[in-house]
Amino acid sequence: MRGIIEKFNGMKVIKWMIYAFFVLFLLLPLFSVFLVSFTGQPINLLGSLVNVDTLLSTMDKLKNANLDYYADMVARSGYLGALINSLQLSLFVSLIVILVCIPIAYGIARTKMPFKRTISALCIIPLIIPTFISAYAFIIMFGRAGWVTYIYQGLGGQDMLIDPYSMTGIVLVQVFFFFPYALWPMVAAFKVSDVSLEEASLNLGSKKYFTFLFITLPLALPGIISSALLIFTVSFSDFGTPIILAPKDLSLIVVEAYREIAGFFNWAGAAILTVVMVLVAAFFFWLQNLFVKGKNYGSVSGKPKAQKLSDNKKVNTVLSVYSLFIVSVPLLAMITVFLQSLATTWGLGPLPDGYTLENYTDVFSTSFDNIRNSIILAAGALVLSVVIATFISYFVVRENSSKLDFITTMPLVVPGIALGIALIQTFNTAPLQLTGTALILIVAYTIRRIPYMIRSTTSTMRMIKADIEEAAVNLGASRFTAAITIIGPLLMPGIAAGSILVFVTVIKETSISILMAPAEWAPMSLAIFQNILRGEYYTAAAMSVILVVIVLVLQSLANLISRKQSQ
Amino acid sequence: MGSVEIKNLTKKFGETLALKNVNINIEEGEFFALLGPSGCGKTTTMRCIAGFEDPTDGEIILGDQVVNDIPANMRNCGMVFQSYALFPHLNVFDNVAYSLNIKDLKEGGFLNKGKVYGRMLSNKLFSYPNHIKDKVNEILEYVELDHLSQRMIGELSGGQQQRVALARSLVMEPSILLMDEPLSNLDQKLRHTMRNTIRRIQQDLGITTIFVTHDQEEAMSMADRIAVMDQGEVMQVGTPTDLYSNPSTPFIADFVGTSNLLKGKAESINNEMFVNVDGNQLKSTYSNSTGEVDVVIRPEHLTIINDEKDAGSFDNVIEGEVLFSTYLGSIVRYDVKAGNENYLVDTTYNSGDSIYQPGTTLKLTVEPERVLIL
Ligand SMILES: Nc1ncnc2c1ncn2[C@@H]1O[C@H](COP(=O)(O)OP(=O)(O)OP(=O)(O)O)[C@@H](O)[C@H]1O
Ligand SMILES: [Mg+2]
């Protein structure tokens, strides 16, 4: 008997609380959006559990559930068009990213091209800049008054080089700011390709480019395809670029979903678009996992063989110049934003008309609250993630809880806009009316970013052997005390690295902030977004610089920690 | 207080039956070894005693208390892990002080708890009270580690880590001490030194100790009594000499020391026991069974008859041919073939003795009381 009570102890309770958290804030909202896509009217599942009237009305709505709204979607070219446009966008972006990355990846993995370190270092820039700031940077570069346009016209060009407010503009921003996601897996793929096969081919008298095309490339193909699928999902879920750049006549599914909910409170439409988004993203995520699993780099056993790096001078110079060009575009975009933040005004010209710090003093006087909000919200999400992720990694590693493992990777699949819509739908009425509070915002950030944290803590947890914890228990500590005094400190490096990642991504977060943040809790990303919409470019620039600096500082801190840890 | 009684202990892992109805009684102050081949259930037995595994069936009694329902952290069994399981982020002193901190945690109010947690997380911010300092220093001195108290665990040799693990368990004054193959990570020489150290400390403190090993020499040289286990069952419990001279099964005879395991046919003639081993009629004082039997003769109990004329005066004579000889320092071991059976024969070697060459025909003899019939 006491054994049973013993088993129903603290750890068990915590495990159930974690399940409850994910069921309440992830599974239930997604499920209820799924139902709404059939009923066309908001459904209050939580209310149905506590209130008979609500239950009856829910039953009523469910009885009337039908496929009309889906039929409508197909019939109304608006939605279907948006889906097709989005798929097209993602397809373009992933194909172009792969083509762009092949030479760079090959150069980094297999040659002695000059400036390799600089190129690798510059690849970090796109990762730390939120996409809506990148999109906005493209406007001030390529727009009517942009310096690129100035140069282009100076060279005799008409109008603009590229219109940033177009499909082309969106594709370019996403290509230049998402390519590092594909680059590193591709570098790895080129590194593990079997060199002896290539040597054999060369031995048989094949030309070098022939060997590259028919031996090296096919061997790296699984890695390349998996990267393409990753980019596809990232591009499909991206909200920051399209919301800034999509022109009126170009509808994209994320923007459409946002408009339906934020503009028209059209639950049926938003629900259908959400379901479609989740399904598409999940499908490509699943495809990608299939590739990663089947053709794991781990299948190449042991130490990677020492590879001979090519030192063909001509080829390497070309590769280096090309790579430097690609990585310099995001850098130039960032420099442009920085100059704008210091500008008094900046008309059509290569440089601002004058320089001032006023934009920054403006930001600190009018938007200090936004900075504070960002930090409070990110800190809240961080604390919640640390606590939940620590216990989850404990359960996943020590108790092999694969169910928990599965549930907690699910947020990776759900686009931010989709999660936002699902949460708003579920929590906008009693009994848990949370929409519009800081709490639900923090919860949303946490759900969205906790997979990073879990990955970090779980890998550290795997390095802590079970007998260390048992030793503590043997010496008289309860499981709880052992967790605090032994597991906790040993887990610290993993927690620290994960925390910074969570903090950074929350500060960068666009879709959730724009969709869910109430005015009094508006974070920096929302404020910048609104400034851009209002055409207040100078303050937007100053605030973007502040945001990027915060992110940059924290990111380098994280790198420092992970480097220390690996020593 | 320090006695251990294991009653009908059974443990299943899913379908695997790791322990089958194990019964062991260990007296207070005894040094008790669990000996057996890999996978026989030694660790599982120990983990059941420590409370890390729930027995599927049976009882574990420490002192006069059934402890099945007492959680692992309340059992007060010191355990030395095979991997030592020292806390890598703490130094030697903090490692050893751990259990004393835990004891402090259970006393005093909220403030005290905070202070104790504080010093367990950072020894720089909160200092230890004197009663802990004294006790830790005393035990560190005892295991000759006082000069290393501020070292991190990673900066210690294997033998030093072993002693830290021992000190960490001893400082909480456990009612019993459990050691799971504590010497298996050490090199040959250190292992011999540590055997003596552990045995000395155990004798000194008079603490009931259960020692797991698969090394029969280790068990024989250290333990008061030994339980030999195989496939989850206890085969025999006894003192080292017991097990050696009266093994209850061929498995034990083989596992404990070296033996000649032979097949024979036993019959009783005129109230005397004879066993026929491949044509050689051997007289034995053992009379448990007749018919097909296992016969065990230890190599050192076989003697070579040097003088042909004496052969008639022995009860048992086996004639065979030397296949080869091995020189083992103070003894010479011959492999002698007699019919279809091979016999190992150990003879003491004094310098100047000549060694029989392969091919030599010999006569061997063995006392009837040394012919074990199982
Ligand atoms: N957690 C477990 N789950 C399933 N089977 C287990 C588990 N622990 C032990 N076993 C099985 O129980 C049996 C006994 O294992 P145990 O670890 O007690 O052996 P041992 O005598 O300590 O061996 P060794 O000398 O190799 O340490 C083995 O067959 C083992 O595979
Ligand atoms: Mg074992």
Side-chain angles (χ1 to χ4, degrees), chain B residues 13 16 18 36-45 53 82 180-181 214:
Chain B
F13 291 108
T16 335
S38 184
C40 69
K42 308 181 294 286
T43 299
T44 307
T45 309
E53 305 285 358
Q82 185 171 0
D180 191 356
E181 309 207 22
H214 58 240

Side-chain angles (χ1 to χ4, degrees), chain A residues 74-136:
Chain A
V74 179
R76 271 187 25 206
S77 59
Y79 286 0
L80 199 59
L83 175 61
I84 291 171
N85 285 341
S86 282
L87 290 173
Q88 226 167 34
L89 168 69
S90 308
L91 185 69
F92 284 151
V93 172
S94 45
L95 286 182
I96 296 174
V97 162
I98 293 310
L99 289 179
V100 164
C101 281
I102 285 176
I104 310 180
Y106 182 80
I108 292 177
R110 308 293 288 277
T111 71
K112 288 183 181 159
M113 72 172 176
F115 298 112
K116 219 194 249 187
R117 279 171 154 257
T118 317
I119 292 165
S120 308
L122 285 177
C123 283
I124 296 168
I125 292 180
L127 297 179
I128 57 174
I129 301 179
T131 49
F132 72 100
I133 293 182
S134 331
Y136 149 67

Side-chain angles (χ1 to χ4, degrees), chain B residues 54-128:
Chain B
D54 283 334
T56 309
D57 203 9
E59 279 184 345
I60 291 168
I61 301 164
L62 300 182
D64 45 16
Q65 192 181 18
V66 179
V67 295
N68 286 37
D69 288 337
I70 295 183
N73 58 328
M74 315 284 257
R75 289 200 189 179
N76 200 32
C77 303
M79 180 148 174
V80 176
F81 290 77
Q82 185 171 0
S83 60
Y84 312 145
L86 296 170
F87 308 132
H89 60 302
L90 301 178
N91 65 22
V92 170
F93 189 97
D94 293 330
N95 262 277
V96 176
Y98 192 84
S99 63
L100 302 176
N101 278 327
I102 296 289
K103 259 182 208 150
D104 257 20
L105 203 55
K106 287 167 187 156
E107 288 153 19
F110 204 66
L111 202 70
N112 182 59
K113 280 192 171 56
K115 231 164 58 188
V116 177
Y117 272 126
R119 71 169 176 259
M120 288 171 89
L121 293 173
S122 164
N123 58 5
K124 295 200 181 58
L125 292 180
F126 301 85
S127 59
Y128 285 97

Side-chain angles (χ1 to χ4, degrees), chain A residues 1-3 6-7 465 467-482 484-486 489-490, chain B residues 47 52 54 69 71-73 77-79 81 83 85-89 98-99 102 105-106 117 120-121 168 172:
Chain A
M1 188 58 212
R2 264 189 71 179
E6 191 52 40
K7 283 206 185 88
K465 290 213 223 77
D467 58 7
I468 293 218
E469 189 191 348
E470 283 178 353
V473 171
N474 181 256
L475 292 168
S478 63
R479 293 256 162 203
F480 180 75
T481 306
I484 290 188
T485 56
I486 302 297
L490 288 173
Chain B
R47 289 174 60 83
F52 292 127
D54 283 334
D69 288 337
N73 58 328
C77 303
M79 180 148 174
F81 290 77
S83 60
L86 296 170
F87 308 132
H89 60 302
Y98 192 84
S99 63
I102 296 289
L105 203 55
K106 287 167 187 156
Y117 272 126
M120 288 171 89
L121 293 173
R168 186 179 67 174
M172 71 175 194

